[in-house]
Amino acid sequence: MSDIRTFIVAPDDDDIRLDRWFKRHLPDTSFTTVAKWARTGQLRVDGARAAPGDRIAAGQTLRFPPPEPVPVAGKPKRERPPLTDDEIAFARELVIHQDAQAFVLNKPPGLATQGGTKTLQHVDGLLDALQFDNEGRPKLVHRLDKDTSGALLVARTSRAAAFFAKAFSGRTAKKVYWALVVGVPSIEDGMIELPIAKQPGTGGEKMHVDEAEGQPARSRYRVIERAGNRAAWVELQPFTGRTHQLRVHMAAIGHPIVGDGKYGGPEAFLTGGISRKMHLHSRRISVDHPDGGKIDVEAELPTHFAESLAGLGFDQMAGNMMPLDEPAPPTKQVKKAWAKAHAKTVRKERKGERRSRGAAVEPRKSGPRSKTAGPKSTGPKPSGGKPVGSRSAGPKPGSRKSSGPPSSGPRSTSPKGPPRRGR
């Protein structure tokens, strides 16, 4: 037939699923339509019948029918407005690393990563300024909270985006954050293992620790320097990627991040000229490069954070001397929780796929399911700055005895890096 469409798989699409290819290049073609073409033999790869879940290779030929005309309902899709010269200049000033496959940006605090309700200014909206001569638009591969500053990785090609996505999901990408927290943790090098879930009644805008329903979450903290018992400068490494994970974890052990009123309340703000802005900064990102080697980039602190460190008498060189080492392996209980959460996610995906395939079948006429029991609050009640509700191995022999919780507290070791000096 003369109206059959033919496409050659590009190198950037090598080894992706066929349904993913349609979503990437022909987003108006629904999964139901692709599945129908597969069932009727109209979807072909190099002349052979294909299924939506088949993986394709660069250079292969795809053949399928033209789309059926569908009446357009509702408002037409709104196009992105062109960027102004000032916006283009601003976006390019954020770049701290650039190569053929990726950018690393130093995101300022107060700028959202992606758009949303009433959010018109965001990093994603500025990426047209970084397209240059590339055929495709740059793509975000992870996010930072609006008020969190620092290193943000952006892929320049579809192949790089898929590669980086695997690195983040496989936990091979390493992210190091700096934070200023209220008080000083009694254990200077600790691992927080507390599950996190959306807090009921907040519309998903706020997270909390939930031992029963939460997703496994694991964070490491190390104290870099302390200002008496008033505040501490800490290094944070998230080993899972839950929403607001570092903020929730530090508040849960009684040491909220300075400026984080959402999770720390009024006690998250320090007096004495310390800025009320969030003091959480993505200092460093280290990830394998799609073409070999590594991307390893550090982002300079925003002005308010640097001024707060100086005001407390901290020297930034102390943070730069902290080694990027591996965390202690997860416990058996944590591994079981991860496996359970992964199985739950797979079941949800399969359920959604079955629903999309059976879109023609009328839905069951049943009322909404509801749980009779209210939300169970299992979040820790911090008291006196002691880590609560997480697993602990206690300090190593010879170190200062911790006044923290018993063996259910965060795993910890003796402090590493430069000696701490009191303020």
Side-chain angles (χ1 to χ4, degrees), residues 266-283:
E267 295 182 358
F269 301 95
L270 297 179
T271 57
I274 302 299
S275 172
R276 294 179 62 85
K277 293 182 179 180
M278 177 94 77
H279 287 69
L280 180 61
H281 178 72
S282 175
R283 170 62 174 173

Side-chain angles (χ1 to χ4, degrees), residues 33 62 98 102 187 195 209 211 220 355 372:
T33 300
L62 310 182
Q98 176 179 347
I187 299 173
V209 171
E211 296 279 2
R220 182 187 186 181
R355 283 179 177 173
T372 56

Side-chain angles (χ1 to χ4, degrees), residues 44-116:
R44 302 271 175 163
V45 176
D46 284 347
R49 295 181 64 151
D54 291 347
R55 291 194 174 273
I56 55 179
Q60 287 185 320
T61 302
L62 310 182
R63 288 198 305 120
F64 46 87
E68 298 178 2
V70 178
V72 178
K75 297 180 180 179
K77 188 175 180 180
R78 187 172 62 181
E79 303 231 348
R80 286 188 300 271
L83 298 176
T84 65
D85 291 343
D86 288 343
E87 288 174 325
I88 292 172
F90 173 71
R92 294 179 179 179
E93 287 173 359
L94 301 181
V95 177
I96 55 176
H97 169 84
Q98 176 179 347
D99 61 49
Q101 300 295 339
F103 293 108
V104 177
L105 312 180
N106 189 358
K107 187 187 85 65
L111 178 65
T113 304
Q114 290 180 296

Side-chain angles (χ1 to χ4, degrees), residues 359-372:
V361 181
E362 292 185 6
R364 292 189 303 173
K365 297 180 179 179
S366 60
R369 295 175 62 189
S370 63
K371 295 184 179 179
T372 56

Side-chain angles (χ1 to χ4, degrees), residues 339-413:
K340 182 179 178 181
H342 176 70
K344 185 177 180 181
T345 301
V346 171
R347 287 196 299 271
K348 284 183 178 180
E349 290 177 350
R350 288 177 177 173
K351 186 175 180 181
E353 198 170 282
R354 288 197 298 270
R355 283 179 177 173
S356 63
R357 288 176 178 173
V361 181
E362 292 185 6
R364 292 189 303 173
K365 297 180 179 179
S366 60
R369 295 175 62 189
S370 63
K371 295 184 179 179
T372 56
K376 183 178 179 183
S377 177
T378 58
K381 305 286 186 182
S383 175
K386 298 179 181 180
V388 180
S390 54
R391 215 161 276 100
S392 174
K396 288 184 177 178
S399 63
R400 178 173 59 86
K401 185 176 180 181
S402 168
S403 60
S407 59
S408 61
R411 176 183 296 116
S412 65
T413 61

